[in-house]
Amino acid sequence: MKAIFLDFYGTVVHEDDDILPVIYKQVQASAQVECTTDEIGAYWWKAFSTLFHASHGSQFTTQRMLNVQSLAETLLHFKSDLQAESVNQGQLAHWRNPGIFADSIPFLHSLEVPVYILSNIDTDDVKAAMKVHKIEAAGVITSEDVRSYKPRSEMFDEAIKRYGLQRDKVIHIGDSLVSDVQGAQNAGIQAVWLNRKGKPKPQQISPDYECKSLAEVVHMLEAWT
């Protein structure tokens, strides 16, 4: 193994799971349509996913814009007079200053091969979060660099090309079965599913490896040497 590709949010640092319910409650309190917070979350996710999957190449839109646009659509649907840019500030601030998993820094310090961060979040936000936690990597590639999001192959392909690597000599580690596992595998790269929450594995996706923590990934990598 000559290098590691590493997802960032949900893998090295925390996702925004604690912030989203707060936003749902804000929308619910201001909505003129009777709704539950689950319904708000589901509608927002569907709106975001539609925009996300269409965002590549000449149609690419940054993650910040996708979030604000999909939230604006959600507010309109539930007849809320809140402004998406204002409501979304907490989530966007989290991306720049997320909490970090306890095993992340020890994991990064234990590696003897270069690590390249591959993230769907905007470049400036990823680099700000890395600076907060004093994380260094051999390289960072984001959706903005390739105008495309995982699980599409452009980010993986760019990393292989930019850093002069071979697909069978790298492995990608990430928490998303679709974006990270399927995305890497579709690009001809082995994938480790970092399943921190013990989620059940669906039959249609088969990660090459499954680990519950980055500490477990270290042991797996050591077994190869």
Side-chain angles (χ1 to χ4, degrees), residues 114-117 136-140 163:
V115 176
Y116 301 97
I117 302 293
E136 296 182 357
V140 178
Y163 304 116

Side-chain angles (χ1 to χ4, degrees), residues 141-156:
I141 298 180
T142 74
S143 50
E144 284 191 281
D145 294 316
V146 295
R147 300 185 66 79
S148 174
Y149 293 97
K150 298 178 291 181
R152 291 178 62 90
S153 67
E154 286 90 341
M155 198 180 303
F156 300 102

Side-chain angles (χ1 to χ4, degrees), residues 26 133 223:
Q26 283 182 277
H133 294 292

Side-chain angles (χ1 to χ4, degrees), residues 2-34:
K2 299 297 184 182
I4 289 174
F5 292 167
L6 188 63
D7 174 56
F8 197 63
Y9 295 87
T11 299
V12 178
V13 298
H14 291 275
E15 288 279 14
D16 47 23
D17 297 336
D18 293 337
I19 295 171
L20 295 178
V22 176
I23 297 177
Y24 302 158
K25 289 180 181 178
Q26 283 182 277
V27 176
Q28 184 187 39
S30 63
Q32 296 180 39
V33 174
E34 186 174 343

Side-chain angles (χ1 to χ4, degrees), residues 102-139:
D103 57 1
S104 295
I105 298 300
F107 170 75
L108 291 167
H109 287 173
S110 73
L111 299 174
E112 297 181 356
V113 296
V115 176
Y116 301 97
I117 302 293
L118 273 60
S119 178
N120 277 346
I121 300 296
D122 303 345
T123 303
D124 192 54
D125 292 327
V126 173
K127 291 186 175 180
M130 291 176 67
K131 184 176 181 180
V132 165
H133 294 292
K134 300 179 181 179
I135 293 172
E136 296 182 357

